[in-house]
Amino acid sequence: MKKYIMAFDAGTTSARTILFNKDGEIVSQASKEFTQYFPHPGWVEEDASEIWSSQIGTAVEAMSKISATADEISAIGIANQRETTIVWDKNTGDAIYNAIVWQCKRTAPLCDKLKKDELTDMIKKKTGLVIDPYFSATKIKWILDNVPFAREKAQKGELLFGTVDSYLIYKLTGGLCHITDYSNASRTMLFNIKDLKWDDELLKIFDIPKSMLPQVKNSSEIYGKSSSKFLGGEIPIAGILGDQQASLFGQACFNKAMAKATYGTGAFILMNTGNEIVNSNNGLVTTIAWSYKDKVTYALEGSIFECGSAINWLRDDLKILDAADDSEYMATKVKDTCGCFVVPAFSGLGAPYWNQYARGTIVGLTRAVSKYHIVRATLESLAYLSKDVLNAMEEDAGFKIEELKVDGGVSKNNFIMQFLSDMTGISVLRPKIVELTALGAAYMAGLGTGFWKDLEDAKNILKIDMSFKSNFDKKKREEKIKAWHKAVKTSLYYKE
């Protein structure tokens, strides 16, 4: 009897495996952090083999906690950090270089050259994306240009590229499947989101052999089975979604105009735009949300590079916090920030600014500012950045967002969620289950194997835990946002 769906939540700094039952309840979970490397300022890397070993290790642990067998698991679904780039040897399955993480800025000079060559409009028209080091294409090119013999091997068809989902599936199936789904393909800056195929013109511009690329599949279908040597039996792999699209799906934002925000290492706000490609004039990207039963759903997205990582900065680097959870208590120790603003642009600013050279800034410092004010200002910055994205989203889409569903670890912070509602003036809804990324991947896998019958099954699972509503004075809100934008300008003036 199939009792469970297994979800891989392959995040930016940790691997997690969660087993869900048919009611969408978590019955077992395990997680393991892995190392990030910073070989140069602005560079971020991870060991692909550690990503794999951490992920499969948590899967075994989650099963062992409840003595689950492979026969009891209907399917595996994967939600993954998206643009992170892995290139591996087709014959050995080993990465030829560390995974280059989505946060990495090493390809900024190449992006500048692409802009100078007036390719911005063409790339955006084809992919829905802005030219930025964030996306995979320039990372692949960097590996081919800088790793010894990489380009020669690629031209011989000996190398494969994939985002983390592709790499995990390749390893999990013993090299039998080299695939991805539409949501992840749309984040590479190589995929034409209108024609729904890898774009030959873009491949030529980036000098990337097509043989490296995975086959693109629906987000929900049976792709293959895990090798029995890993989990004690063969389990169908039946769902793939980029992590942010997974949380949009997990939040049951199945209809046009529904929006969600995930607050994890970074923060990502997505709005379902249905079967319509909405082009942004306000610094957002157009992306594929998912493909279900051969129908593609699109979304508008705004990416905020620093969120939980900003709180970790307070804890790990400034040593202001003993634990990340202490941030809420410390923020409420003072009534405001005493005129202080923190702009956490540690790796540039994402939407709607898209400035890779912006750097973290603290403004408004006086001797009256204490560590409590710094903590509060850092937490408030996450709401301000969200407000900027939501404003851009409403302008592009042409209608007002009435409510925002939230998830991710940072969404547990009540101070941030209330301030978010205060600064946006909209209702913020937090479900009882905050692991919506994993749940979205589980839904896709479960729908792919018939574990869940249809979207109504998934919709009925979601229950709201807490709603945050604003009674904030409109004039005071506008004053605060105006002051925030002055702080952002200070950050944008910085350039190495």
Side-chain angles (χ1 to χ4, degrees):
M1 180 181 175
K2 304 299 184 183
K3 298 180 180 179
Y4 313 116
I5 289 287
M6 175 180 281
F8 287 0
D9 185 357
T12 302
T13 56
S14 67
R16 181 176 302 177
T17 298
I18 299 178
L19 292 176
F20 293 94
N21 64 18
K22 206 151 192 172
D23 294 325
E25 298 166 333
I26 295 172
V27 294
S28 183
Q29 62 180 314
S31 63
K32 189 178 190 303
E33 290 190 0
F34 45 76
T35 308
Q36 284 196 316
Y37 301 94
F38 309 94
H40 300 286
W43 291 32
V44 190
E45 298 178 359
E46 292 166 355
D47 183 342
S49 63
E50 188 183 3
I51 294 174
W52 160 244
S53 62
S54 299
Q55 192 65 64
I56 199 66
T58 60
V60 172
E61 184 181 348
M63 290 174 69
S64 66
K65 282 182 177 180
I66 58 171
S67 301
T69 65
D71 290 339
E72 294 175 313
I73 298 172
S74 176
I76 297 170
I78 298 173
N80 59 286
Q81 53 164 316
R82 297 174 296 178
E83 301 78 8
T84 294
T85 297
I86 304 174
V87 175
W88 67 91
D89 188 292
K90 186 177 182 178
N91 300 312
T92 66
D94 296 329
I96 65 167
Y97 187 81
N98 276 346
I100 301 181
V101 181
W102 58 270
Q103 298 160 312
C104 187
K105 297 299 176 185
R106 77 185 65 196
T107 61
L110 173 56
C111 291
D112 287 340
K113 184 178 183 304
L114 294 169
K115 293 172 186 175
K116 190 176 180 181
D117 292 343
E118 298 184 349
L119 293 171
T120 299
D121 290 342
M122 184 270 281
I123 288 176
K124 187 173 183 181
K125 185 178 179 180
K126 287 174 177 284
T127 69
L129 308 177
V130 298
I131 296 175
D132 193 85
Y134 180 25
F135 305 106
S136 308
T138 59
K139 303 177 195 298
I140 303 169
K141 179 172 170 55
W142 188 94
I143 291 174
L144 295 181
D145 289 344
N146 289 276
V147 176
F149 309 111
R151 188 164 291 284
E152 292 89 334
K153 287 184 177 181
Q155 288 167 348
K156 291 177 184 177
E158 296 175 2
L159 296 183
L160 300 177
F161 151 74
T163 41
V164 172
D165 60 305
S166 295
Y167 185 68
L168 291 178
I169 292 172
Y170 192 83
K171 300 289 278 187
L172 195 59
T173 60
L176 295 179
C177 292
H178 181 216
I179 62 168
T180 191
D181 86 305
Y182 285 97
S183 72
N184 280 291
S186 74
R187 309 299 297 185
T188 60
M189 214 156 70
L190 296 171
F191 192 75
N192 191 310
I193 62 170
K194 183 179 180 182
D195 297 340
L196 300 177
K197 62 182 182 180
W198 299 115
D199 193 275
D200 291 332
E201 186 178 5
L202 293 176
L203 290 171
K204 186 176 180 180
I205 289 170
F206 290 102
D207 197 12
I208 296 170
K210 200 169 190 175
S211 60
M212 294 181 67
L213 304 179
Q215 185 180 0
V216 184
K217 299 273 196 176
N218 285 315
S219 305
S220 178
E221 63 177 275
I222 297 175
Y223 317 110
K225 294 182 178 181
S226 64
S227 173
S228 58
K229 66 182 178 181
F230 296 121
L231 301 172
E234 294 184 342
I235 303 173
I237 305 164
I240 309 171
L241 276 175
D243 53 8
Q244 302 314 317
Q245 288 94 329
S247 67
L248 186 70
F249 199 77
Q251 288 276 23
C253 293
F254 303 143
N255 299 325
K256 187 175 179 178
M258 299 182 78
K260 72 90 199 182
T262 296
Y263 294 97
T265 303
F268 302 88
I269 302 174
L270 274 77
M271 175 199 287
N272 184 329
T273 62
N275 60 5
E276 181 184 0
I277 297 176
V278 177
N279 295 310
S280 175
N281 297 312
N282 294 285
L284 304 180
V285 300
T286 306
T287 195
I288 293 176
W290 52 74
S291 175
Y292 177 61
K293 292 186 175 180
D294 294 321
K295 291 184 179 179
V296 170
T297 296
Y298 294 91
L300 275 175
E301 175 175 339
S303 305
I304 299 167
F305 293 154
E306 310 291 344
C307 182
S309 53
I311 299 173
N312 290 347
W313 166 69
L314 295 173
R315 180 194 65 191
D316 301 335
D317 300 306
L318 297 191
K319 310 294 184 187
I320 293 177
L321 304 175
D322 291 327
D325 290 347
D326 294 342
S327 62
E328 182 176 350
Y329 165 76
M330 291 187 70
T332 57
K333 290 277 288 181
V334 288
K335 65 179 182 178
D336 56 32
T337 66
C338 198
C340 168
F341 289 86
V342 173
V343 184
F346 305 130
S347 52
L349 282 173
Y353 302 102
W354 291 108
N355 188 312
Q356 61 215 24
Y357 297 108
R359 286 296 177 263
T361 308
I362 304 176
V363 300
L365 287 175
T366 65
R367 284 295 301 273
V369 173
S370 70
K371 63 182 180 181
Y372 301 107
H373 297 106
I374 297 290
V375 171
R376 184 172 178 128
T378 302
L379 300 193
E380 286 188 358
S381 74
L382 308 181
Y384 287 128
L385 287 165
S386 300
K387 167 70 172 173
D388 291 339
V389 170
L390 289 165
N391 278 356
M393 203 164 270
E394 290 178 341
E395 192 166 329
D396 283 330
F399 50 79
K400 182 166 176 58
I401 297 169
E402 298 297 336
E403 62 182 31
L404 182 69
K405 295 181 177 181
V406 297
D407 58 80
V410 177
S411 72
K412 297 174 186 176
N413 188 307
N414 291 336
F415 173 82
I416 298 174
M417 295 302 102
Q418 183 59 56
F419 195 74
L420 173 63
S421 181
D422 290 341
M423 289 302 102
T424 60
I426 63 178
S427 297
V428 174
L429 307 179
R430 184 175 65 204
K432 288 183 178 179
I433 300 175
V434 294
E435 302 296 348
L436 272 300
T437 299
L439 186 59
Y443 282 162
M444 278 301 185
L447 290 167
T449 57
F451 188 79
W452 286 299
K453 186 175 64 174
D454 52 31
L455 296 182
E456 283 302 314
D457 266 6
K459 195 181 293 185
N460 292 334
I461 287 172
L462 198 66
K463 301 289 189 297
I464 298 301
D465 172 52
M466 190 173 290
S467 175
F468 300 87
K469 297 185 183 297
S470 174
N471 292 311
F472 208 79
D473 180 75
K474 186 177 179 181
K475 184 178 179 182
K476 189 176 179 182
R477 176 191 299 145
E478 290 172 352
E479 289 173 354
K480 281 183 170 290
I481 292 169
K482 184 178 179 180
W484 160 254
H485 287 149
K486 287 174 65 177
V488 171
K489 284 182 181 178
T490 305
S491 174
L492 293 173
Y493 285 147
Y494 180 88
K495 185 169 183 177
E496 293 183 22

